[in-house]
Amino acid sequence: MGQQYRVAVLPIVSARGLTKKFDDFEAVRGIDFEIARGEAFGFLGPNGAGKSSTMRMIGCVSPVTSGTLRLFDLDPATSGKEIRARMGVVPQQDNLDSELTVFDNLVVYGRYFDIPRAECKSRARELLDFVQLSDRADSRVEPLSGGMKRRLTIARSLINQPELLLLDEPTTGLDPQARHILWDRLYRLKQQGVTLVLTTHYMDEAEQLCDRLVVMDGGRIVAEGSPRELIAQHSTREVLELRFPAGTNAERARSVTDLGERHEILPDRILVYADDGESVLHEVHARGLSPESALVRRSTLEDVFLRLTGRSLVD
Amino acid sequence: MTLLKRIWKTNLTLGFVQPILFLLGMGLGVGSLVDARTASSDALGGMGYLAFLAPALLATTAMLVGAFESTYPVLAGFKWEGTFDSMAATSLTTRQIVAGQLLWWATRVSLAVVGVTVVLVVVPDTRSWGLVPATLSAVLCGLSFSTTVGAYAATREYDQSFNYVQRFVVTPLFLFGGAFYPIEALPGILKPIAWVTPLWHGVELTRGFVLETIGFFAVLGHLAVLFAYITLGLYLCDRYFTRRLYR
Ligand SMILES: Nc1ncnc2c1ncn2[C@@H]1O[C@H](COP(=O)(O)OP(=O)(O)O)[C@@H](O)[C@H]1O
Ligand SMILES: [Mg+2]
C-alpha cells in the first residue's frame, strides 16, 4: 500500500483478527473491519453476539486478547488515554451520576477531559439545547424518562467534541417516539461530520442510521455491506408473509414450497421470498389455500439475518 | 466544588451522634464505676476514664466512616451506578480516579472526625491544643482503612462481602483495638494483633496528643505505620481498580 494512498483513506478504526477472551470463553472470535472517517458504521447482531465486547475494545476500556486494533492510527494498548480524549462513548447501560444535576453531569464529565470549567459550562448549555433538555438543566437525573437519560448520556459523550462516537444499543428499551427523537439527533451529528459507530439488534435502526454494517453472530462477522447491498445479496426484493390457523403451518407449508425462491417456516407464519410477492400471493389463492392473513412487504435486514443464521434477531 | 455539593447531601449522623452516645454511655456510666476504684484508675495512668476514652473516639470514628465509605459506595461506582466506568472512558487514568477517590475519602473522614473534635473541645478533660494533631492523625487512621478496604471492594462482586469486613475487621478492632482499655489488658496473643492494626496506632496518637503523654519517637513510629497502610492501600487500589475497569 503506497504511503500517499494510506494517508488519504486512513480508516479511523481498523481491526484485524480482533479477539476477546474472558478466561477461556471467546466472546469475539477474530473479526476484521475498517471504519472510514465520517461514516455511520453498525454492528448488528442478537444478544450475546459480542457487540459490547467489541465496542469496549474500541473504547479502549478492554484490552485486546489477540489480533490488532488501531484507532486514529494509534494503538489502544499504549495510547489509550490519547484515543479516549478524541472519542465519545455511550455505553449500553446509562451510567450518569445520580448525585448531580443534569447540567453538572455534563460539566463534571468535561472536567475529566481537563477542559476548563468555563468552557465546560458553555458546552454543557449548547449540548442540553442540542438534546432538547435545556428546561431540565437543574433537575436531578432520577426523575428523567429513559429517553431523556439516553439523550443526556449522548450529550455527555459529546462534551469533548469527539471525532468518533461509540453508541452501544442507543435505543434499546425506548418507546418508538423516544427512538425517533434520538435517531434524528444522531443523524444531525453525522451531518456535522462525526463518525458514528453503533451496535443494535434492531434491523430498522441499522437501516435508518448505518451507511455500512457488519452482521455479527456468535463472536464472528457473518456479512458486511450497506443495508441495501446486504438485502440484495442475501434476500429477495419482496417477502410474502402467510399466516395459517394455529398448528397448521407445517402442513400448509408443503403446498407452497415450490413458490418463490426460498421460504422459511416460523412457528407463527411462513415467509416466501420472491422478487414479486403479489404474483406469488395470486398463486397461493389459485391453489385454494386460504391463509388467515397474507402480507407482501420489502425484505429487511431481519430477513438477511434469518437467512445467514437461521434465527431471528430479536427473540 | 461540585463534588462538595455531594458531601452535604450525605448525612453525618454516623460521624456525629455515635461518639456522643458513647461518651455519655461509656464515659459517664462506666467511667463513674471505674473511677470510683482507685486501683483501676491507676491502670489508666491515673487519669479519669472519660479523658482516657474520649480522644480514642476520634480514631474509632475515623475507622468506622473510613471503612464504610469504601465499601458500598465503591462497589456502587463499579456495579450499580457505574460512575467509575464512566470515568474510565475519559482521558482520566486509574491513578487519577484513585486520587479523586482518596480526596473524597479524606473529605468524608475529616468531616466526621471534626464533628468529634468539636465535642472534645466542649469536654473540659480533653480541651487541649493536642486536639489539632490528634484530629489529623485520626484522618490518617481513617484513610488507612479507606484505601485498603476500597481496594478489597474493587475485587468484590456482591455486597455481602462487606458483612465480613464489618464482622471480622471493624467490630473486633472497635472492641479490642485499645479504645476502651489499654491493650496491655488483652491476653498475650491478642496484643501483637492489635499492634499491627491501624486502629491501635491511631488510638495511641489521638490519645497521646490530647493527653500529652506521647513521645516524639512514638509519634514518628505510629505515623509511619499509618502512612505505610495508606501507601499499600493506594498501591492496591491502583492495581485492582485497573483490573476491574479495564477488563
Ligand atoms: N466481563 C465478562 N466476563 C465474562 N463473559 C463476558 C463478559 N462480558 C461479556 N461476556 C460474554 O461474552 C458474550 C458476548 O457478550 P457481549 O459482548 O455483551 O454481547 P452483545 O453485546 O452482543 O450482547 C456473552 O456470552 C457474554 O456472556
Ligand atoms: Mg451488548
Side-chain angles (χ1 to χ4, degrees):
Chain A
M1 202 183 270
Q3 191 61 35
Q4 265 179 323
Y5 177 69
R6 257 185 75 84
V7 172
V9 298
L10 193 64
I12 199 162
V13 185
S14 72
R16 285 267 161 282
L18 185 62
T19 302
K20 182 74 200 184
K21 272 190 185 169
F22 297 107
D23 300 321
D24 43 3
F25 176 75
E26 219 174 6
V28 180
R29 305 171 172 229
I31 58 174
D32 300 341
F33 59 87
E34 284 196 347
I35 302 170
R37 199 170 274 276
E39 181 173 43
F41 185 88
F43 292 91
L44 175 70
N47 273 333
K51 304 183 299 295
S52 294
S53 303
T54 305
M55 286 296 251
R56 284 175 47 80
M57 286 192 280
I58 300 175
C60 302
V61 291
S62 170
V64 170
T65 306
S66 68
T68 58
L69 175 66
R70 291 189 79 78
L71 292 106
F72 311 109
D73 209 23
L74 297 168
D75 180 357
T78 53
S79 313
K81 186 180 158 91
E82 290 91 318
I83 297 171
R84 290 196 297 269
R86 297 168 66 178
M87 196 161 57
V89 178
V90 176
Q92 186 168 345
Q93 293 286 328
D94 286 326
N95 51 22
L96 297 160
D97 194 328
S98 59
E99 311 260 340
L100 301 176
T101 63
V102 166
F103 186 75
D104 286 343
N105 255 283
L106 299 184
V107 174
V108 168
Y109 207 70
R111 300 290 295 144
Y112 295 159
F113 289 99
D114 242 343
I115 301 163
R117 177 167 300 277
E119 177 66 22
C120 286
K121 287 190 175 177
S122 85
R123 285 189 197 179
R125 272 186 285 270
E126 273 171 42
L127 287 170
L128 285 183
D129 205 33
F130 176 70
V131 297
Q132 298 160 321
L133 284 175
S134 294
D135 52 331
R136 305 302 291 264
D138 299 320
S139 152
R140 303 254 308 201
V141 169
E142 271 145 73
L144 299 186
S145 70
M148 288 175 172
K149 281 185 189 159
R150 216 58 187 141
R151 265 143 59 202
L152 180 57
T153 306
I154 290 177
R156 190 184 69 174
S157 74
L158 295 170
I159 196 86
N160 58 328
Q161 301 180 329
E163 298 159 56
L164 172 65
L165 183 60
L166 307 182
L167 304 129
D168 197 353
E169 306 209 2
T171 67
T172 297
L174 302 186
D175 60 62
Q177 196 200 347
R179 296 178 75 200
H180 279 98
I181 299 177
L182 237 129
W183 287 348
D184 171 62
R185 297 295 108 176
L186 295 179
Y187 187 72
R188 284 183 197 217
L189 286 173
K190 197 190 148 209
Q191 302 253 287
Q192 292 167 17
V194 179
T195 308
L196 302 181
V197 177
L198 60 107
T199 75
T200 183
H201 59 246
Y202 296 125
M203 50 98 189
D204 53 343
E205 183 158 272
E207 277 170 36
Q208 284 270 339
L209 292 174
C210 299
D211 300 320
R212 210 157 57 81
L213 58 99
V214 291
V215 179
M216 273 190 94
D217 188 40
R220 291 201 169 81
I221 290 178
V222 292
E224 189 212 314
S226 69
R228 192 188 289 246
E229 282 167 4
L230 284 168
I231 291 166
Q233 216 172 332
H234 300 284
S235 191
T236 52
R237 207 171 70 86
E238 292 185 342
V239 187
L240 171 63
E241 291 201 11
L242 298 170
R243 279 173 210 271
F244 289 103
T248 63
N249 249 7
E251 171 203 330
R252 298 302 169 89
R254 256 176 271 131
S255 8
V256 298
T257 44
D258 58 320
L259 297 175
E261 288 182 23
R262 215 164 56 74
H263 66 281
E264 295 277 354
I265 302 166
L266 303 181
D268 61 333
R269 66 214 143 109
I270 299 168
L271 305 181
V272 183
Y273 289 89
D275 283 328
D276 183 355
E278 283 299 336
S279 69
V280 174
L281 181 56
H282 272 294
E283 183 57 28
V284 168
H285 285 305
R287 291 185 183 185
L289 298 164
S290 44
E292 275 186 341
S293 75
L295 164 77
V296 176
R297 59 166 178 81
R298 299 176 72 89
S299 273
T300 66
L301 288 172
E302 177 78 47
D303 298 301
V304 172
F305 190 80
L306 193 61
R307 176 71 202 268
L308 291 169
T309 68
R311 287 178 290 110
S312 319
L313 266 173
V314 188
D315 32 36
Chain B
M1 284 309 106
T2 330
L3 273 180
L4 277 182
K5 276 192 208 158
R6 296 177 54 150
I7 297 164
W8 297 118
K9 288 178 193 160
T10 38
N11 66 66
L12 297 173
T13 46
L14 180 67
F16 240 127
V17 177
Q18 205 174 5
I20 295 177
L21 286 177
F22 266 107
L23 270 185
L24 290 175
M26 301 294 287
L28 301 180
V30 180
S32 65
L33 284 176
V34 174
D35 293 344
R37 303 173 57 183
T38 32
S40 314
S41 202
D42 284 346
L44 300 178
M47 68 189 76
Y49 187 66
L50 185 67
F52 175 83
L53 171 69
L57 294 180
L58 287 167
T60 57
T61 303
M63 170 182 76
L64 292 177
V65 175
F68 178 81
E69 283 298 320
S70 55
T71 52
Y72 298 91
V74 167
L75 194 55
F78 286 114
K79 207 177 152 147
W80 303 306
E81 296 238 345
T83 326
F84 292 135
D85 293 282
S86 77
M87 292 178 175
T90 69
S91 48
L92 290 178
T93 58
T94 315
R95 207 166 272 223
Q96 288 171 311
I97 295 174
V98 172
Q101 195 58 35
L102 180 68
L103 202 68
W104 167 253
W105 286 326
T107 315
R108 291 288 292 133
V109 171
S110 302
L111 278 172
V113 170
V114 166
V116 182
T117 308
V118 170
V119 176
L120 296 200
V121 170
V122 176
V123 178
D125 296 24
T126 52
R127 191 180 302 148
S128 104
W129 284 110
L131 277 173
V132 177
T135 304
L136 293 173
S137 315
V139 173
L140 292 177
C141 174
L143 291 179
S144 311
F145 285 96
S146 301
T147 51
T148 45
V149 176
Y152 169 77
T155 67
R156 296 294 97 189
E157 257 337 299
Y158 303 104
D159 57 0
Q160 285 100 302
S161 304
F162 300 144
N163 293 338
Y164 299 113
V165 175
Q166 191 66 37
R167 257 177 246 163
F168 297 114
V169 180
V170 174
T171 306
L173 284 185
F174 188 67
L175 296 174
F176 302 114
F180 295 100
Y181 46 83
I183 61 163
E184 283 71 30
L186 287 172
I189 48 154
L190 284 180
K191 253 178 268 183
I193 294 179
W195 287 334
V196 297
T197 63
L199 182 66
W200 178 70
H201 296 278
V203 167
E204 286 297 300
L205 282 166
T206 52
R207 182 176 290 145
F209 278 129
V210 173
L211 306 178
E212 289 159 28
T213 54
I214 197 166
F216 179 70
F217 290 104
V219 170
L220 280 192
H222 293 307
L223 283 179
V225 174
L226 294 184
F227 274 112
Y229 266 105
I230 294 172
T231 309
L232 173 72
L234 287 176
Y235 167 76
L236 293 176
C237 277
D238 190 42
R239 195 185 159 109
Y240 293 137
F241 274 46
T242 303
R243 190 178 293 175
R244 181 77 176 248
L245 290 172
Y246 301 94
R247 63 179 173 185

